[in-house]
Each structure stands twice: as structure tokens, then as C-alpha cells.
Amino acid sequence: NAGVTQTPKFQVLKTGQSMTLQCAQDMNHEYMSWYRQDPGMGLRLIHYSVGAGITDQGEVPNGYNVSRSTTEDFPLRLLSAAPSQTSVYFCASSYGGNTDTQYFGPGTRLTVL
Amino acid sequence: SQQGEEDPQALSIQEGENATMNCSYKTSINNLQWYRQNSGRGLVHLILIRSNEREKHSGRLRVTLDTSKKSSSLLITASRAADTASYFCATAPSRTDKLIFGTGTRLQVFP
């Protein structure tokens, strides 16, 4: 099993550009989520999904969109990148929900110039 | 929002020594989890301890939970250089479906 995979590993964007961060898991987990990690702030929840077709907002959802068309995939879209979105982004999946054990991907380091 | 706060922020020890990290939180919780993050990598789950449990072990790891003091500790015994990483606690507050991460303890183990 590959677990949780994320692409790309690194990305540099200019302000105003859009892009999609990809996340996939092969553990048949219903729950998936996106976090961002900034220095000194811990991980913060952006969006999450409790199953295909169902998404909800986390703590810091502004500027990001998600969709969940399949159990395996949970892409995160930046509509118009801003320097404040410079961060490391982690996708996670879970069997039992947002408060259960989380399985994290390797992360995407995003820089917005 | 409620957040687990780890203490100390950084810890340096020699191989073979024990490392203790603490986590404090503010409101009642369903469970508390500890994760490890090696530099440049994703987080790896270590232990989940539920609010009705006081202690859990996993190999060289020992986690305690004191709900009356709203605190938890992670003990790594006989540390190795490979234990060098950041360690995060994450709390699942009661009546929510969110996991709140602390800012982590950076552990450096010197050979």
C-alpha cells in the first residue's frame, strides 16, 4: 500500500495564479482532510471530507476549494494564490473520522511570490 | 481555539538518555494523540490515548494522561539518534469533530 500520496512535492506560484494540489489514498478511508503547517503555529485544518460528495470547512478555509468525487482522491484548489498561502500543505486520511488516528501524506511545500 | 501546548519547545539529549515532552490543553477532550515529524516529512502517528485511560505504552514510548490537570506527557526511553524529530500533541475536544495540533517539541538526540 502506498498510503497517502501528494503531488507535487514543491511548487512556486506567482500571486494570482491558480493550481491544484493532488492527494490520493489507497486505504479505503472515508475521512480525508487538508492541513497547512506554518512555523510556530502547528497544523491548521483547511477543509475536510467525510465521504465522496461531502465536504466541509475547517479552521482556515478562505482561498481554498475542495471536492470529493471518489473515495480515493481529495484535491485542494487555490483559486488565486496569495503570499499568505505560502506554507507546507498536508493531506491526511482516517478510518474513524477527524478525531481518529490520522495518516499523513509527505506534504507539498508551496511558495507564492 | 483550544490548543495543546508542548513543553519544552526544544530538547537536546545524548543517545541512551530518556526524553520527556509535555502537553497541556484547556478544555475537556475525547482523546489525545502524539505524532512525530522528521525534517521535511509528513507526520507519523505514535499513540492515541482516550480520556478514560491514564497510561499507554508502545515499544520505547510511554504516554500518560492526567485529565484533572489537563496534561499529557510523552516519554521516550533509551533514545537513539533516529529519534531526532519534532513531536506534536493533538487534542480532540469533546463535542467537536476537530483535531487541534500544538506547535511541537523539537528533539535532538546526539550520538
Side-chain angles (χ1 to χ4, degrees), chain A residues 35 37 40-43 45 48 57 59 90 98-102 104-106, chain B residues 1 3 31 33 35 37 41-43 45 48 88 92 97-99 101-103:
Chain A
Y35 291 86
Q37 184 177 35
M41 299 195 72
L43 273 74
L45 182 65
Y48 64 98
Q57 296 180 349
E59 183 184 354
F90 290 99
N98 284 341
T99 58
D100 199 2
T101 298
Q102 302 295 307
F104 284 88
Chain B
S1 61
Q3 183 180 37
N31 69 63
Q33 304 174 34
Y35 290 81
Q37 183 180 34
R41 313 290 277 276
L43 280 73
H45 180 260
L48 182 153
F88 294 87
D97 61 352
K98 305 293 190 294
L99 200 58
F101 285 83
T103 53

Side-chain angles (χ1 to χ4, degrees), chain B residues 3-4 10-12 15 22-23 39 43-44 57 61 79 81 96 103-104:
Chain B
Q3 183 180 37
L11 180 62
S12 295
E15 261 190 326
N22 303 296
C23 173
S39 181
L43 280 73
V44 174
H57 296 255
L61 306 181
S79 62
T96 76
T103 53

Side-chain angles (χ1 to χ4, degrees), chain B residues 29-73:
Chain B
I29 58 172
N30 289 324
N31 69 63
L32 184 145
Q33 304 174 34
W34 285 92
Y35 290 81
R36 184 188 74 233
Q37 183 180 34
N38 290 91
S39 181
R41 313 290 277 276
L43 280 73
V44 174
H45 180 260
L46 297 176
I47 287 183
L48 182 153
I49 186 165
R50 303 192 189 283
S51 59
N52 61 352
E53 297 174 311
R54 291 297 166 257
E55 189 171 307
K56 283 189 91 166
H57 296 255
S58 176
R60 294 183 296 112
L61 306 181
R62 172 178 167 249
V63 168
T64 60
L65 179 64
D66 187 334
T67 53
S68 66
K69 294 182 179 177
K70 293 186 171 57
S71 68
S72 173
S73 67

Side-chain angles (χ1 to χ4, degrees), chain B residues 7-24:
Chain B
D7 171 61
Q9 289 189 323
L11 180 62
S12 295
I13 59 174
Q14 297 288 130
E15 261 190 326
E17 294 181 336
N18 295 341
T20 299
M21 287 157 267
N22 303 296
C23 173
S24 60

